[in-house]
Amino acid sequence: MAKYKVLVVETLRKEVVIEANSAKEAKAIANDIRSKGELILTADDFDSFSIHCCETCKINEK
């Protein structure tokens, strides 16, 4: 039986309202908030998942 490398991707998503003078500034503020750990996504923010088969594993079994 073959073995496969499988990639499982889960996406979290949260919408926040940020007061700013431009979209670029709002993104910078959001990034700053996230970097400081003030914007934390949890399992409650689950949005979607996908599963991809990457390749057959080439593992020598003994």
Side-chain angles (χ1 to χ4, degrees), residues 16-30 33:
V16 295
V17 177
I18 295 179
E19 204 169 301
N21 293 314
S22 67
K24 184 176 179 179
E25 182 184 13
K27 286 175 66 175
I29 292 169
I33 292 169

Side-chain angles (χ1 to χ4, degrees), residues 6-61:
V6 176
L7 177 64
V8 179
V9 178
E10 291 187 342
T11 303
L12 303 179
R13 178 179 164 158
K14 180 180 278 192
E15 186 174 300
V16 295
V17 177
I18 295 179
E19 204 169 301
N21 293 314
S22 67
K24 184 176 179 179
E25 182 184 13
K27 286 175 66 175
I29 292 169
N31 187 54
D32 187 47
I33 292 169
R34 185 201 56 80
S35 296
K36 291 178 182 176
E38 297 170 5
L39 176 60
I40 299 173
L41 281 70
T42 67
D44 292 335
D45 301 307
F46 177 81
D47 182 58
S48 63
F49 77 96
S50 59
I51 299 175
H52 310 274
C53 189
C54 302
E55 61 185 60
T56 303
C57 293
K58 296 169 181 72
I59 299 173
N60 295 325
E61 294 185 22

